[in-house]
Amino acid sequence: MPRTTRKTDRPDDAASLEAATNAGALGPLHAYVGYALRRAQLAIFQDFIRTLAEVDLRPAQFSVLTLIDAHPGILQSRAAAALGIQKANFVPLIGELERRELTRRVPVDGRSNGMHMTPKGRALLKRARALHDRHHARVTASLGDAELRRLIDVLERLAAVDGAPAH
Amino acid sequence: MPRTTRKTDRPDDAASLEAATNAGALGPLHAYVGYALRRAQLAIFQDFIRTLAEVDLRPAQFSVLTLIDAHPGILQSRAAAALGIQKANFVPLIGELERRELTRRVPVDGRSNGMHMTPKGRALLKRARALHDRHHARVTASLGDAELRRLIDVLERLAAVDGAPAH
DNA sequence: TATTGTTATACTCTATAACTATA
DNA sequence: TATAGTTATAGAGTATAACAATA
């Protein structure tokens, strides 16, 4: 049961943010896109993290494997930039993947590494992707097909605000 | 009515997920709601953090001030729970706000504190809210009014997946 | 000179356990 | 016995600076 705030029943169509205020327990926060985004992202990631625990992967590791699988031989620097991860922080990330023999670094010239999946990495990614797809179906269960497409479209427009890392 | 299951309940979702694949530089990641959510949230928060820097507030501090202002006297524990912040992590957060004389803790019984805004806190929040509103207008500039309402609605449904912190 | 990968470091956010004092 | 607040601590994630080797 969602909170019967029946006190003030005025239509209150003011165009400002304040209009949607005083509704829930969070006050104006309820009307803020950034706040709603953060809560949704946290909730979904929590589900995703639990989902991936079965294959001992965290979201960032999953995204790296997915990217390498889609772009075999991609340079370390390109991969890091594409995912919005600092190259310095990327080093221990792929170091762990390589330690587990899921990926391989192959020098392409004296200073660059191409990144590749190992058979073991491909096998694990296949399992992880199956888990992800069930997770994805679960969290989007309340959304229609068109609604989902619109959501992704809107999110990508939002991500394009100035200050977003380029990729 | 929510779910548009046209055919059967078979894992068709996975197939449609793959369909939107191979499009961009990120491979399948482009079709994943969680990934799109994370990128959008990061981009918007980056803009928000820069926006609030002018009043030396971080997003969490802004949300605490907003909550206290909407619910004067709210208990520390209730506030932390409402914002999805661990009570242990809430202590240094409000300690800093109190050190800056923006909020005040008033004991209501021997073990509970009611939280209140100081005049200084209200004045700063007013400035912060003006900054926020400009930020909000900026990041939602590409969205129509109805689109914005739909987005918030969808995000709140997504945040309701099992595993989300209660509030 | 600019770029790739690397190390070291620091700061924020988050999570847990354990303690105290009160109810 | 349970709750509110606190302390301490550890783990992620992220950011910057500096460096070596190479282009």
Side-chain angles (χ1 to χ4, degrees), chain A residues 4 22-23 29 42 50 61-62 76 86 101 105 110 118 127 143 156:
Chain A
T4 64
N22 293 337
L29 293 178
L42 251 45
R50 273 204 310 272
Q61 296 174 315
F62 175 77
Q76 228 179 283
Q86 307 273 344
E101 298 180 348
R105 272 175 284 198
T118 65
R127 286 184 59 202
L143 272 53
E156 284 180 353

Side-chain angles (χ1 to χ4, degrees), chain A residues 17 25-26 32-33 37-39 41 44 46 71 83 132-133 136 139 141-142 147-148 157-158 163 167, chain B residues 3 17 25 32-33 37 39 41 44-46 71 82-83 132-133 136 139 142 147-148 157-158 163 167:
Chain A
L17 238 37
L26 286 171
Y32 298 165
V33 168
L37 259 178
R38 175 171 171 268
R39 300 310 290 250
Q41 195 258 318
I44 288 187
Q46 208 163 320
H71 299 280
L83 294 170
H132 170 274
D133 288 352
H136 194 273
V139 300
S142 69
E147 211 169 7
L148 176 56
R157 265 186 286 155
L158 288 180
H167 47 275
Chain B
R3 197 96 166 86
L17 222 49
Y32 297 165
V33 168
L37 260 177
R39 300 311 290 249
Q41 194 259 319
I44 288 186
F45 258 57
Q46 208 164 321
H71 299 279
L83 294 171
H132 170 274
D133 288 354
H136 194 274
V139 300
S142 68
E147 210 169 9
L148 176 57
R157 266 186 285 154
L158 288 180
H167 47 272

